């Protein structure tokens, strides 16, 4: 794809998180790894809503001219999406790459967004939900 249409403008990832309130409500206190069907169904529901934001009617990044995504199931059985987005020329900025957490000192919204990202999108390996051995193998 890159040879045909050029470098993508955005690389987006999304990982299922058993701390999402809706997942906790659906599976209760049971570890997600014991209720993979329910947590995976909710992930795909959430992913369909996010796709609508990214390249559906909302287009939060601008007009998407092309997209690609791949869904993988990670070590603990949770789905994970890798997505590339290409935007229309009028919606792109040249040479801008950002891969940082939202800054909390800017305003209240920045602080709230940072807290959400840290709580819901950063994976830490816990014995109750990871299949890895003691050294990450």
């Amino acid at each position: 794809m890159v040879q045909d249409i050029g470098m993508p403008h955005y690389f987006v990832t999304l990982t299922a998180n058993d701390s999402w309130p809706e997942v906790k409500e659906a599976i209760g206190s049971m570890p997600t790894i014991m209720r993979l069907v329910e947590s995976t169904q909710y992930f795909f529901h959430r992913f369909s809503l996010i796709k609508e934001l990214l390249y559906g009617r909302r287009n939060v990044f601008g007009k998407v001219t092309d997209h690609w995504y791949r869904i993988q199931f990670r070590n603990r059985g949770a789905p994970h999406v890798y997505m590339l987005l290409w935007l229309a020329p009028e919606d792109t900025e040249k040479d801008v790459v950002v891969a940082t957490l939202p800054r909390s000192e800017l305003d209240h919204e920045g602080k709230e967004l940072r807290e959400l990202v840290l709580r819901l999108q950063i994976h830490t390996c816990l014995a109750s939900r990871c299949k890895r051995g003691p050294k990450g193998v």
Side-chain angles (χ1 to χ4, degrees):
M1 288 185 84
V2 171
Q3 289 178 341
D4 292 337
I5 58 178
M7 293 295 290
H9 296 101
Y10 286 98
F11 173 70
V12 180
T13 65
L14 177 68
T15 301
N17 189 316
D18 50 4
S19 295
W20 287 340
E22 300 87 348
V23 172
K24 282 185 167 186
E25 184 179 320
I27 66 173
S29 61
M30 188 175 288
T32 312
I33 200 161
M34 303 300 290
R35 301 288 296 266
L36 288 177
V37 172
E38 292 88 344
S39 59
T40 300
Q41 285 176 328
Y42 187 76
F43 172 83
F44 280 101
H45 170 70
R46 183 170 275 206
F47 182 48
S48 70
L49 298 174
I50 289 172
K51 287 189 296 186
E52 181 67 24
L53 287 173
L54 296 177
Y55 56 85
R57 292 184 306 235
R58 297 280 306 273
N59 295 325
V60 295
F61 292 136
K63 183 179 181 213
V64 174
T65 57
D66 214 331
H67 70 279
W68 171 91
Y69 66 86
R70 176 185 196 116
I71 299 172
Q72 294 181 331
F73 288 82
R74 305 302 298 216
N75 290 338
R76 60 189 175 103
H80 185 86
V81 172
Y82 298 99
M83 179 184 286
L84 302 175
L85 299 173
W86 286 264
L87 302 182
E90 64 271 13
D91 290 326
T92 62
E93 294 185 42
K94 300 289 183 199
D95 302 322
V96 176
V97 175
V98 178
T100 61
L101 289 170
R103 295 174 57 192
S104 60
E105 67 273 6
L106 295 178
D107 55 30
H108 177 71
E109 285 181 6
K111 182 177 181 180
E112 185 178 354
L113 185 57
R114 181 183 181 87
E115 290 171 1
L116 285 169
V117 170
L118 287 172
R119 186 168 38 108
L120 300 175
Q121 289 301 121
I122 304 295
H123 172 71
T124 55
C125 202
L126 301 174
S128 65
R129 60 182 173 192
C130 289
K131 294 181 180 179
R132 293 181 179 174
K135 294 194 176 195
V137 180

